[in-house]
Amino acid sequence: MISKNKFLGSLLLAISLTGGQALASSIEPVPDQELEEVPLTDSEAQPVTVDLAFRDAEPSKEQSMEEEFLPDLPVLLDGKLYSAEELEKAGIQLPHYVLDSNAAEQNILLGFRDAASLKVYLERTGQMPSSEPQAAAALPCWFRPPAYFFDGTYYTGRYFSVRPGFGYANLGIWDNRISSIRGTRCGRWTLLTELPYFQGRRLWLGASWAVPNLSSYRMYPYFWPFRQTWNNRASSVMVFW
């Protein structure tokens, strides 16, 4: 069995070896524009625990068709870069997808087979989520915005907001409507979950990062011309300190 130190060393080495690329066009720093906080009107926010974030999920078998073809980002998994075709050929299912500073700097998507390997990465990179504010983050969050979820790409259309430590288990009329995200600048993670009640696959968005078009990120494996993306896919959300 691979040790935690060896696993993380392989992962971070692979990240460093892919260096030299610009920020991924599909992830960017959170825009400076301030927005009004808008809670959901037909659903109630609830406190969320870290255990909810680390559930392992069997990916659903549903497929959807997209008219627009978008190129794939390489997926770093177990210290190796995979193309979409290689993941499909190997029959690899990914329940956890991570977009953080490492992913943005190298223009890649981090993939994890299970919660255990994801925890190793988060612990070693100092990014473990928390359901409670950390001392250094509590005060600034009174002056900094929460996470925002939009029904249009590039932060357009209607939106709702969620403060760290809370989530919506059921998005109601917002189910399968989120097309772009401005992640929290207070806490460490903004999470989309594929199914209601925090079930299914997860997309982790690191602190102060935003995704202007969720169609940029596929869910693996896929079968052309049928493909799944995170656009209009989320049924519940969580935000952590």
Side-chain angles (χ1 to χ4, degrees):
M1 179 179 295
I2 188 170
S3 69
K4 288 185 177 181
N5 288 338
K6 185 176 180 182
F7 166 81
L8 183 74
S10 298
L11 181 60
L12 295 183
L13 175 62
I15 289 174
S16 67
L17 292 177
T18 60
Q21 301 183 40
L23 291 180
S25 59
S26 45
I27 182 174
E28 63 184 17
V30 171
D32 291 332
Q33 179 188 9
E34 299 292 342
L35 298 173
E36 179 184 357
E37 292 192 41
V38 179
L40 287 182
T41 57
D42 66 336
S43 297
E44 184 175 352
Q46 66 181 70
V48 289
T49 64
V50 174
D51 288 344
L52 292 174
F54 287 113
R55 284 179 177 172
D56 273 330
E58 184 69 24
S60 70
K61 304 300 183 182
E62 299 175 11
Q63 300 290 336
S64 61
M65 179 177 287
E66 298 282 344
E67 295 181 357
E68 180 183 11
F69 178 81
L70 293 172
D72 296 295
L73 290 180
V75 177
L76 185 63
L77 174 67
D78 300 336
K80 176 183 176 181
L81 283 175
Y82 287 82
S83 67
E85 291 75 14
E86 289 170 335
L87 287 171
E88 181 182 355
K89 184 177 180 180
I92 295 174
Q93 302 282 347
L94 296 180
H96 297 278
Y97 304 78
V98 174
L99 293 169
D100 62 1
S101 295
N102 285 327
E105 289 169 3
Q106 311 308 324
N107 200 12
I108 60 176
L109 177 64
L110 304 181
F112 295 87
R113 297 175 188 266
D114 51 46
S117 58
L118 174 57
K119 283 181 180 179
V120 171
Y121 173 74
L122 297 180
E123 287 171 352
R124 298 298 184 179
T125 56
Q127 298 186 92
M128 278 293 290
S130 173
S131 57
E132 299 293 335
Q134 307 302 304
L139 183 59
C141 273
W142 287 104
F143 309 101
R144 302 174 78 178
Y148 295 94
F149 305 85
F150 301 82
D151 65 1
T153 57
Y154 298 94
Y155 327 118
T156 59
R158 297 187 178 184
Y159 68 87
F160 68 94
S161 57
V162 183
R163 282 265 168 185
F166 291 89
Y168 287 97
N170 192 324
L171 294 179
I173 61 173
W174 273 86
D175 186 44
N176 296 326
R177 282 183 56 189
I178 298 173
S179 292
S180 54
I181 317 171
R182 288 173 48 161
T184 178
R185 286 191 284 181
C186 296
R188 286 179 172 160
W189 293 103
T190 300
L191 270 68
L192 295 182
T193 54
E194 179 187 12
L195 303 174
Y197 303 102
F198 314 120
Q199 301 286 341
R201 288 172 277 197
R202 284 150 168 66
L203 178 65
W204 295 65
L205 180 62
S208 299
W209 290 103
V211 179
N213 187 350
L214 284 168
S215 292
S216 301
Y217 294 103
R218 296 189 179 184
M219 309 173 93
Y220 298 92
Y222 73 95
F223 304 92
W224 180 256
F226 297 96
R227 53 186 282 254
Q228 295 171 292
T229 75
W230 279 97
N231 184 49
N232 295 331
R233 192 72 185 180
S235 293
S236 48
V237 300
M238 294 179 276
V239 183
F240 289 95
W241 295 98

